[in-house]
Amino acid sequence: MYIRKSLFLLLLCIVGIFSFSCKKKSQSTELNPLVLDSVMVVKFAQQWESAVNCGDTALLLQTFDKLFAKNQVSENSLIKSSFDSDFGTFFFDAYFQNVVLNLVETINNGGHFMCTRVYQKDSVFHFVTHLYNDLTLRIDDWQLAVVDNEIKIQDGFFYNLSSSMINDLNYWMLYQIMEKTNPGGATTEFAKINDAIIAGNTKLAMQSLAESRMQLAGYPTYWQLYLKTLFEDDYDNFIARFEADVAPNFDSRSVQLHELIYNACAGNVEATEQNVYQLIPYCGDAPIFLFFAGFARLEAKEYRDAAVCFENLDGILPLFWDLWCAKLECFYYLNDVKSFESLVNEGRKIYGMTVEEISQFIDNQFPKMKNINYSE
């Protein structure tokens, strides 16, 4: 039906009070250093969620401890020397801008973002975020610290890339340096693979990925391209090849996430549930997991059970496009005309569709319901 099995592109997916202040520290602040506790971290996470959803990129950028990150990546001599020129600083700052813009632009394109868990491990506080869009899910685990009496993000773990933020930044910088100083190296190989993917030649892309693994496997981008190509090239055998080729190189959390997305799209209900159960202890019992559970049932043609999953999300998640279409598909196959008609009109108001637009959409996707009534 309307919802397509999209490729799960791995992505590279804050209204502040105490955390985002740029004001000069007062004497009382210096005498009373900030000590993190769970209440403060929850508040920070909520503010971060608000800033992402409001598109406040300036405030989001202020929350990263860039000095810490710079010191970490400067342990590599090539990266350290790059900071002697504007070149290194430009791409260092660009990395954080890309991280933030990816979140905000996904929201602007109909995505859904929320913080799902706060926890402390080895005296370090973390908060976990989920970013959903177009049948993809990005999960990030952000690591916090107090820096100059403000809460800052020092590092993170990106489930989709199976990489820490510092490691991803490190390879981002190395890539930019190599593109400038050694254009015949890794950058040429990545360009060759990208060109094959864009041309739809997944066989050539897989061949190039296999041939360049020794050279490129350290780059998180390599695995991003590998997974995308594998999904396109051998969809039916994706899990078997993923577990053989990719899983040994990935954190177990990342393995569960990628298998969750595939299994839900493939209609593997029990496997989807097992993936969710494995992820919950790490990133919280997020409502988006119920959407994936419902979508797996939808793809398995278990329409009534899928509808129950989706209806349990009413008032918990916004009616984003994929959820709207999935619910419509359930009611369509259940021949529930009344519920279908009500949902069509609800979505029409949310997405600002004219009668002509919604009528054409229904005629194309749900032709047996073309005679329903549209409210003004």
Side-chain angles (χ1 to χ4, degrees):
M1 292 302 298
Y2 184 76
I3 303 179
R4 61 187 179 84
K5 292 185 176 70
S6 61
L7 308 177
F8 43 93
L9 310 180
L10 310 178
L11 313 173
L12 289 172
C13 139
I14 308 173
V15 179
I17 299 177
F18 51 86
S19 323
F20 315 128
S21 173
C22 293
K23 297 178 181 178
K24 186 177 179 180
K25 295 187 291 291
S26 66
Q27 184 177 1
S28 61
T29 300
E30 294 173 354
L31 294 175
N32 298 284
L34 183 67
V35 178
L36 273 183
D37 59 32
S38 59
V39 175
M40 291 180 181
V41 175
V42 167
K43 190 172 185 178
F44 181 94
Q46 291 172 339
Q47 293 166 342
W48 218 76
E49 177 183 306
S50 176
V52 172
N53 287 317
C54 292
D56 200 335
T57 57
L59 285 174
L60 289 167
L61 286 169
Q62 291 178 20
T63 62
F64 291 98
D65 184 359
K66 292 185 179 180
L67 179 59
F68 175 84
K70 182 176 181 179
N71 289 336
Q72 291 293 304
V73 297
S74 291
E75 292 180 5
N76 182 292
S77 59
L78 282 175
I79 297 175
K80 183 178 181 179
S81 62
S82 75
F83 288 119
D84 293 335
S85 67
D86 292 339
F87 166 83
T89 300
F90 174 83
F91 282 106
F92 177 80
D93 289 338
Y95 174 84
F96 293 97
Q97 291 167 1
N98 288 340
V99 170
V100 167
L101 285 174
N102 178 263
L103 295 172
V104 171
E105 289 176 357
T106 301
I107 298 302
N108 292 338
N109 290 326
H112 173 69
F113 178 85
M114 70 184 303
C115 296
T116 60
R117 186 186 180 211
V118 166
Y119 70 98
Q120 185 178 21
K121 182 179 180 181
D122 299 329
S123 301
V124 177
F125 278 101
H126 301 245
F127 73 101
V128 182
T129 60
H130 288 196
L131 179 67
Y132 172 86
N133 190 43
D134 196 21
L135 294 179
T136 68
L137 181 63
R138 166 178 166 173
I139 302 179
D140 299 324
D141 185 320
W142 305 98
Q143 179 179 318
L144 300 175
V146 175
V147 180
D148 293 333
N149 236 49
E150 294 180 346
I151 302 177
K152 296 287 186 180
I153 296 173
Q154 283 197 330
D155 202 353
F157 179 75
F158 299 154
Y159 280 50
N160 300 74
L161 299 177
S162 193
S163 171
S164 70
M165 184 184 75
I166 295 298
N167 180 66
D168 189 43
L169 171 61
N170 183 75
Y171 278 101
W172 158 266
M173 293 295 295
L174 288 174
Y175 181 90
Q176 305 306 326
I177 292 168
M178 284 214 241
E179 189 170 44
K180 185 176 180 64
T181 62
N182 183 26
T187 55
T188 298
E189 291 300 319
F190 276 124
K192 179 181 176 182
I193 295 165
N194 265 318
D195 289 344
I197 292 173
I198 292 171
N201 193 340
T202 56
K203 298 295 183 186
L204 176 59
M206 285 302 297
Q207 179 182 342
S208 299
L209 284 160
E211 292 173 351
S212 61
R213 177 171 293 194
M214 290 291 291
Q215 179 185 8
L216 303 180
Y219 290 84
T221 301
Y222 172 86
W223 296 107
Q224 178 181 1
L225 294 172
Y226 188 91
L227 284 168
K228 177 184 177 182
T229 307
L230 178 59
F231 190 86
E232 293 178 334
D233 184 59
D234 197 1
Y235 179 84
D236 291 338
N237 297 308
F238 177 86
I239 290 293
R241 293 185 62 181
F242 173 78
E243 291 182 346
D245 296 344
V246 183
N249 302 287
F250 268 29
D251 183 280
S252 62
R253 295 167 292 178
S254 301
V255 171
Q256 294 298 325
L257 173 60
H258 289 298
E259 291 191 355
L260 164 68
I261 298 170
Y262 173 84
N263 284 322
C265 291
N268 299 329
V269 174
E270 292 185 4
T272 299
E273 290 181 346
Q274 287 302 314
N275 296 139
V276 169
Y277 293 148
Q278 293 293 326
L279 284 166
I280 285 174
Y282 298 104
C283 51
D285 191 1
I288 198 65
F289 287 149
L290 185 55
F291 169 78
F292 278 100
F295 193 82
R297 286 166 171 79
L298 176 65
E299 292 300 298
K301 297 181 170 54
E302 298 175 6
Y303 301 115
R304 195 165 301 281
D305 289 342
V308 171
C309 290
F310 298 141
E311 286 169 5
N312 284 334
L313 293 172
D314 290 349
I316 299 174
L317 290 182
L319 191 64
F320 53 82
W321 183 266
D322 288 350
L323 178 56
W324 183 49
C325 292
K327 292 178 72 173
L328 286 174
E329 190 167 343
C330 288
F331 295 143
Y332 181 76
Y333 283 110
L334 292 171
N335 198 31
D336 186 343
V337 179
K338 182 178 179 181
S339 296
F340 186 92
E341 184 176 289
S342 175
L343 184 62
V344 164
N345 286 306
E346 181 183 356
R348 182 190 157 212
K349 292 176 182 177
I350 291 173
Y351 295 106
M353 302 171 77
T354 65
V355 171
E356 291 74 20
E357 289 170 337
I358 192 66
S359 179
Q360 184 178 8
F361 172 72
I362 297 303
D363 288 351
N364 290 338
Q365 304 301 326
F366 308 103
K368 294 180 181 178
M369 295 287 188
K370 62 182 180 181
N371 294 321
I372 65 172
N373 296 316
Y374 302 112
S375 62
E376 294 299 330

